[in-house]
Amino acid sequence: MDTIKGISLSTNELASVLALCGYESMASDVIDSQHLLESEEEFNNFLKANAASLKMKGFWNEDRSSLIEEGLESLITLLVHSKKKIRIIRGQKVTFIHFLDQNNLLLQKIAEGEHHLELTGIQDLKKVLDNFFGGGQISGCGISNLETLKLDEEIFNQLHQFTDEDVNSLLAENLPCSLKAFLEDFKVNSYEFDNASLMEMNFKEDYLGINQVFFYLNAGSYIWLLDYDKVEENELLLYQMASEDFNALMFSTVKKYFKN
């Protein structure tokens, strides 16, 4: 199969390629997320506007019915028809790991309006996951000094409304080490949890489902992991895992998901 490894498209270029390759519904989803177009005329003008940049990147081919080079069209077809995928959201960056078959994965890294597509082998899955979950800040409290935090749903929802002033005021008080560490880490992460979702998609049936979601906060040497199994009982737990243990958990979970 003639494919391209390591290519980048803007969001607008990706929408254009999807449409030209016959995946208009997915193209519309990408475009609608930006509220760009309202009529068929605007859509056609949109395609023409992106043709120039696709030509400059060497992805345009007047001799093909789709007008898109065969390698890129093959890559887009793999992306669209991939049924199992992992979505990882860290701040403003989003990564999809599309499962292709027992030997191959397609990585889609999205940041600042650019989509980077790259094929890699299933044998690199652990390294790929380690790279995406790594990083973060190291708190002043070591993991051995931290205890599980128990929250109710109301308090949990209030966390996302915090400001620097709120947190600085709380940190000035004599807080337990665990709560202080979490607030410091949560502040560094802009008062949001990152998340990883196990997703399933069927393009032909227009189906997209989420089977499991992990909410976590990377603190460098350890991870805050949200346990929401008892949310119906109004109890949420935040507990800590060493980064290597969290990475091992995610690798085992994703490997099993892709295998079944």
Side-chain angles (χ1 to χ4, degrees), residues 76 86 148 217:
I76 291 298
I86 309 301
T148 298
L217 181 62

Side-chain angles (χ1 to χ4, degrees), residues 112-131:
E112 298 180 348
E114 287 287 319
H115 296 248
H116 182 79
L117 304 176
E118 182 177 344
L119 288 169
T120 191
I122 195 77
Q123 72 274 7
D124 295 325
L125 177 60
K126 187 177 189 307
K127 181 173 68 175
V128 168
L129 290 172
D130 286 350
N131 287 339

Side-chain angles (χ1 to χ4, degrees), residues 57-101:
K57 291 183 176 182
F59 297 143
W60 195 264
N61 188 336
E62 299 281 355
D63 296 327
R64 305 192 76 245
S65 58
S66 66
L67 301 176
I68 299 300
E69 277 290 354
E70 183 178 359
L72 177 55
E73 183 170 356
S74 296
L75 204 60
I76 291 298
T77 299
L78 291 173
L79 185 153
V80 170
H81 290 280
S82 169
K83 293 185 177 180
K84 290 185 176 181
K85 52 201 72 198
I86 309 301
R87 183 186 65 193
I88 302 169
I89 299 177
R90 293 198 65 191
Q92 300 301 311
K93 297 181 179 180
V94 180
T95 298
F96 285 90
I97 305 174
H98 303 271
F99 176 75
L100 303 181
D101 54 43

Side-chain angles (χ1 to χ4, degrees), residues 125-183:
L125 177 60
K126 187 177 189 307
K127 181 173 68 175
V128 168
L129 290 172
D130 286 350
N131 287 339
F132 292 143
F133 291 126
Q137 301 293 319
I138 299 179
S139 172
C141 291
I143 188 171
S144 60
N145 298 320
L146 299 177
E147 298 177 349
T148 298
L149 298 175
K150 294 183 179 181
L151 309 172
D152 61 32
E153 193 169 2
E154 181 180 359
I155 293 176
F156 177 76
N157 291 333
Q158 290 176 352
L159 291 176
H160 301 282
Q161 302 174 17
F162 275 164
T163 64
D164 286 351
E165 184 178 357
D166 295 329
V167 172
N168 291 338
S169 177
L170 288 170
L171 292 174
E173 300 179 12
N174 187 23
L175 299 176
C177 184
S178 297
L179 180 56
K180 181 178 181 181
F182 170 72
L183 290 174

